[in-house]
Amino acid sequence: MKPPRLTTRGRAFLAAGVVVVIGATLLGFPDVTRIGALLALLPLLAAASIWRRAPRLELRRTVVPAQLQRGEEGHVELALHNVGRHATLPHLAQERLDPALGEPARFVLPRMAPGERRTVTYGVHAQMRGIFRPGPLVLTLTDPFGMASSRVELRASGEVVVLPRIVALGGAGVRRQGGAGDWPVPHMVATQGEDDVSTRTYHHGDDLRRIHWPATAHRSELMVRQEEQPARRRAVLVLDSRRLAHRGAGEASSFEWAVSALASAAVHLAGRGYALHLVSTETVREGRAGSVLSLGTVLRYLSLALPEAADLGPVLRTARSLAAGVVVAVVSDGDPAAFHPYARARPAGTTGVMLVLDAPGFAGALGDGGAERVADVARAAGWRTHVVTAGTDVATAWRRATAARQVVR
């Protein structure tokens, strides 16, 4: 708890008391001196009285639901517990809140007996993506005369995760042109020696029925079959976060469209059993682009994604180094010539889906044909592509891109 502070009224009483005491002393009026001393003493007594009644409270903060999409509403639960030996006084409480979630929550916290628990709930409205941490909860107590006030800040963990807008891509899969199934994809095989043979040296206690006789004869020692583990298909998601390559402002910008599209693709592919890699400027910088990330981690990265003064080259080179079944890239049309050397970021034999943003259109300007040039380069490298103009919804762009013909190399 911070020391009590005198209010404007309290400071006025203190100043008036000091002036009266000094003046009465100089003029020789002892009775007036006592009045001045009382005026100066009142605010100090008020501050001491509320300092003695400082509450001892524990706070636990819970956000429901844990994740929101932009435009959705949720609520925050504040669970307070009086762990002190004395009852608390009524306090004015205010929970600090980012403007992106709404107005700060204000309420009166009533008297709480020792050991009493109380839960307060307030609503939040997700207006933009990001990760926001409410708090601290500030309790303010003012004495009955309004001369002093005290503040107590209660801190507790808890965050509101606002995801990018996620669009259901429905049954639109990454399928063969004119075929009836997903493209054949490389699999991610478990470690610990699993391979095509799937054998290892016999250990005491192994089931004799698992002995692999051909391998035993070849190595002249007992070999047993390994327990096979299911393989998983992998998908690489590539985000173009070059600041100079995007246009538009706020939720209508080309960058926000790219983030929303990649988040939608992540949910779509994860639901079909794909393990996910996210290759962006941030994950490359942190060294996590090569790691398989959970869907929640991918969405968390995308919730915090911002345009950066970065080059797309390291991102696409990293994407090319990852063997995966599907590569989904959302790129802008900025600098088509620089993009050409990296267009083959799609590893050979995999399915590549590229959504190329006609960025000037997101700012209300006419495009210069850069998006088409980028798309042409990508098609020549075997990508399924679609040029995205302002106003195109993610599901439509995905359906048109995945229906496009692909050259498999």
Side-chain angles (χ1 to χ4, degrees):
M1 174 181 176
K2 297 180 180 179
R5 300 178 60 183
L6 296 180
T7 63
T8 301
R9 180 184 300 175
R11 291 193 296 270
F13 266 71
L14 179 61
V18 171
V19 170
V20 169
V21 168
I22 295 175
T25 301
L26 294 176
L27 297 175
F29 296 104
D31 292 337
V32 178
T33 301
R34 286 191 286 271
I35 295 174
L38 178 61
L39 290 175
L41 190 59
L42 278 176
L44 300 180
L45 292 175
S49 67
I50 60 175
W51 201 352
R52 290 182 60 252
R53 303 301 298 272
R56 293 186 57 195
L57 299 175
E58 287 184 349
L59 172 66
R60 188 180 74 253
R61 182 181 290 107
T62 306
V63 180
V64 181
Q67 295 180 333
L68 297 170
Q69 287 194 50
R70 186 168 56 86
E72 292 183 342
E73 294 186 354
H75 65 272
V76 179
E77 296 179 356
L78 303 175
L80 293 146
H81 179 207
N82 184 6
V83 296
R85 294 182 296 175
H86 304 285
T88 65
L89 295 175
H91 284 71
L92 178 63
Q94 176 172 306
E95 173 92 315
R96 294 177 183 171
L97 203 62
D98 192 283
L101 297 177
E103 297 292 330
R106 296 183 178 88
F107 56 92
V108 175
L109 182 64
R111 179 183 181 275
M112 294 180 61
E116 183 179 353
R117 299 176 184 269
R118 186 176 296 272
T119 300
V120 179
T121 302
Y122 66 90
V124 293
H125 180 72
Q127 301 176 43
M128 60 182 297
R129 65 178 174 85
I131 297 178
F132 309 96
R133 294 173 176 81
L137 179 65
V138 180
L139 304 180
T140 304
L141 176 64
T142 304
D143 73 283
F145 299 103
M147 294 189 181
S149 65
S150 64
R151 287 163 49 91
V152 177
E153 291 188 356
L154 302 180
R155 300 181 181 273
S157 60
E159 60 184 21
V160 180
V161 180
V162 181
L163 303 176
R165 186 180 296 280
I166 297 173
V167 178
L169 301 183
V174 184
R175 311 180 70 84
R176 297 177 187 267
Q177 176 70 16
D182 285 351
W183 282 91
V185 296
H187 286 64
M188 179 178 63
V189 183
T191 56
Q192 303 179 353
E194 180 177 321
D195 52 26
D196 292 338
V197 178
S198 297
T199 60
R200 61 171 173 80
T201 305
Y202 173 84
H203 297 303
H204 179 71
D206 283 338
D207 190 343
L208 294 179
R209 290 174 297 182
R210 293 174 53 200
I211 294 178
H212 191 279
W213 294 109
T216 298
H218 179 71
R219 297 203 178 190
S220 300
E221 61 176 329
L222 284 176
M223 304 293 292
V224 296
R225 292 187 296 272
Q226 286 253 75
E227 291 294 336
E228 295 184 0
Q229 301 180 16
R232 297 182 64 193
R233 300 177 295 180
R234 291 196 289 177
V236 175
L237 309 173
V238 183
L239 176 65
D240 179 359
S241 57
R242 295 172 295 168
R243 181 181 300 139
L244 296 179
H246 289 280
R247 299 291 185 273
E251 300 299 330
S253 68
S254 59
F255 183 74
E256 289 300 320
W257 198 100
V259 171
S260 175
L262 218 54
S264 302
V267 173
H268 180 75
L269 294 170
R272 282 158 173 74
Y274 284 85
L276 303 177
H277 292 271
L278 176 63
V279 185
S280 65
T281 301
E282 186 175 5
T283 59
V284 170
R285 182 170 57 241
E286 294 182 1
R288 300 197 66 186
S291 303
V292 173
L293 304 177
S294 67
L295 175 61
T297 302
V298 169
L299 293 179
R300 188 179 181 91
Y301 268 113
L302 293 176
S303 297
L304 294 172
L306 294 172
E308 300 186 41
D311 179 22
L312 190 61
V315 171
L316 292 181
R317 285 195 296 270
T318 301
R320 179 170 174 78
S321 69
L322 299 174
V326 175
V327 180
V328 178
V330 185
V331 301
S332 176
D333 61 355
D335 197 2
F339 180 85
H340 189 277
Y342 311 115
R344 298 184 60 84
R346 179 186 65 84
T350 66
T351 300
V353 178
M354 181 176 294
L355 301 177
V356 184
L357 304 176
D358 184 8
F362 286 81
L366 293 177
D368 58 0
E372 289 293 346
R373 291 195 294 274
V374 170
D376 289 341
V377 170
R379 290 190 193 100
W383 293 81
R384 298 180 177 190
T385 66
H386 178 68
V387 174
V388 178
T389 56
T392 304
D393 64 274
V394 172
T396 299
W398 175 264
R399 183 176 64 253
R400 292 175 179 172
T402 54
R405 185 175 181 179
Q406 179 197 25
V407 180
V408 181
R409 302 188 176 203

